[in-house]
């Protein structure tokens, strides 16, 4: 089975600062990769998904971007953070139509 | 547009009780349905995956059923324990999107009282 690694676990950043969250996958090749955000008391919002290196699709227009420089690496970035970017960010991976696995998440607080 | 709902939003039961969590989806064109567990401040842990051609899946004290035609799934937890306290989410993999999009329900918050 695959394992999803995320870091950092927690992050406190001032408004206007840049952001880089990293996700790596172990135990499978050519996975689909996803970035979700979970706001306090709310459901999961899909932000980005990727079916391969350099292939990124965005679900929601926002202040964030994603990149996939390697098959098992997925990065979430921002040039200038907003207060509204605070939340719990989750990376997930799967093979086509198979079970989806999640990483431990990153708690981002923008102050 | 596929929508997933879960009832109840919250549930509190005494230890040892059997319980059922419900998940409904509006469009029956799905590849599979997955149940997850989320502990506070943690990622999601996959519990059970049911393919669209299957009726149920079992793992230990957990049993998940799927009625694709009626757009419903249930998660049955036998002999509940305090360690089962968590939020349970169901998610469907939609057949009609151009990629493997997974749509999540809002979750049911379960509290098992010792």
């Amino acid at each position: 089975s695959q394992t999803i690694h995320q870091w950092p676990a927690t992050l406190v950043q001032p408004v206007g600062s840049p952001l880089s969250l990293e996700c790596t996958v172990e135990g499978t090749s050519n996975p689909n990769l996803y970035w979700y955000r979970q706001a306090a008391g709310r459901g999961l919002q899909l932000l980005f998904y990727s079916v391969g290196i350099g292939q990124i699709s965005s679900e929601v227009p926002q202040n964030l971007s994603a990149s996939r420089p390697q098959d098992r690496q997925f990065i979430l970035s921002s040039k200038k953070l907003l207060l509204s970017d605070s939340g719990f960010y989750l990376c997930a991976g799967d093979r086509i139509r198979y079970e989806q696995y999640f990483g431990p998440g990153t708690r981002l607080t923008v102050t | 547009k596929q929508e997933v709902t879960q009832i109840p939003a919250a549930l509190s039961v005494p230890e040892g009780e059997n319980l059922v969590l419900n998940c409904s989806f509006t469009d029956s064109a799905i590849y599979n349905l997955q149940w997850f567990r989320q502990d506070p401040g943690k990622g999601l842990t996959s519990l059970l995956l049911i393919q669209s051609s299957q009726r149920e899946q079992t793992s230990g004290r957990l049993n998940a059923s799927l009625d694709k035609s009626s757009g419903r799934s249930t998660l049955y937890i036998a002999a509940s324990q305090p360690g089962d306290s968590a939020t349970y989410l169901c998610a469907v993999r939609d057949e009609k999107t151009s990629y493997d999009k997974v749509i999540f329900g809002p979750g049911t918050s379960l509290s098992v009282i010792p």
Side-chain angles (χ1 to χ4, degrees):
Chain A
S1 64
Q2 58 181 294
T3 303
I4 310 288
H5 301 281
Q6 283 186 250
W7 62 91
T10 60
L11 192 59
V12 180
Q13 293 283 96
V15 169
S17 64
L19 172 74
S20 180
L21 302 180
E22 188 163 347
C23 167
T24 58
V25 181
E26 189 180 334
T28 188
S29 59
N30 196 29
N32 295 328
L33 295 175
Y34 307 81
W35 278 111
Y36 292 91
R37 178 169 59 201
Q38 190 175 37
R42 300 182 65 180
L44 282 162
Q45 179 187 33
L46 177 63
L47 303 176
F48 299 95
Y49 69 95
S50 172
V51 298
I53 296 173
Q55 302 178 63
I56 309 294
S57 295
S58 173
E59 271 292 297
V60 181
Q62 59 212 319
N63 186 40
L64 303 169
S65 62
S67 61
R68 186 167 175 178
Q70 300 180 40
D71 180 47
R72 289 177 281 182
Q73 184 185 27
F74 203 25
I75 298 172
L76 183 69
S77 305
S78 174
K79 292 182 179 178
K80 290 185 178 181
L81 283 169
L82 306 172
L83 285 173
S84 58
D85 291 324
S86 292
F88 191 49
Y89 288 83
L90 290 157
C91 179
D94 60 34
R95 297 301 303 275
I96 295 176
R97 299 168 198 168
Y98 290 163
E99 200 166 357
Q100 190 164 82
Y101 291 91
F102 280 77
T106 294
R107 173 74 58 192
L108 172 66
T109 303
V110 182
T111 60
Chain B
K1 177 185 174 185
Q2 179 76 267
E3 292 183 1
V4 181
T5 56
Q6 291 185 247
I7 295 173
L11 182 63
S12 183
V13 300
E15 181 178 1
E17 269 202 10
N18 303 325
L19 59 100
V20 174
L21 306 180
N22 297 291
C23 172
S24 298
F25 46 95
T26 55
D27 190 334
S28 61
I30 64 169
Y31 284 124
N32 56 44
L33 183 144
Q34 197 169 352
W35 281 94
F36 294 88
R37 168 189 173 135
Q38 186 177 27
D39 294 292
K42 305 292 185 183
L44 277 67
T45 299
S46 177
L47 297 174
L48 290 164
L49 174 73
I50 311 177
Q51 300 295 345
S52 61
S53 59
Q54 297 175 318
R55 297 286 293 183
E56 65 178 312
Q57 282 285 344
T58 298
S59 176
R61 295 183 293 109
L62 305 179
N63 176 277
S65 68
L66 174 64
D67 185 342
K68 186 180 168 183
S69 60
S70 67
R72 293 179 183 178
S73 176
T74 61
L75 179 66
Y76 175 82
I77 303 177
S80 58
Q81 303 171 358
D84 294 330
S85 299
T87 297
Y88 291 80
L89 298 98
C90 70
V92 299
R93 190 175 293 271
D94 200 29
E95 190 176 75
K96 291 184 178 176
T97 53
S98 59
Y99 64 98
D100 286 348
K101 183 173 182 177
V102 179
I103 298 109
F104 285 83
T108 293
S109 178
L110 173 65
S111 179
V112 181
I113 312 300

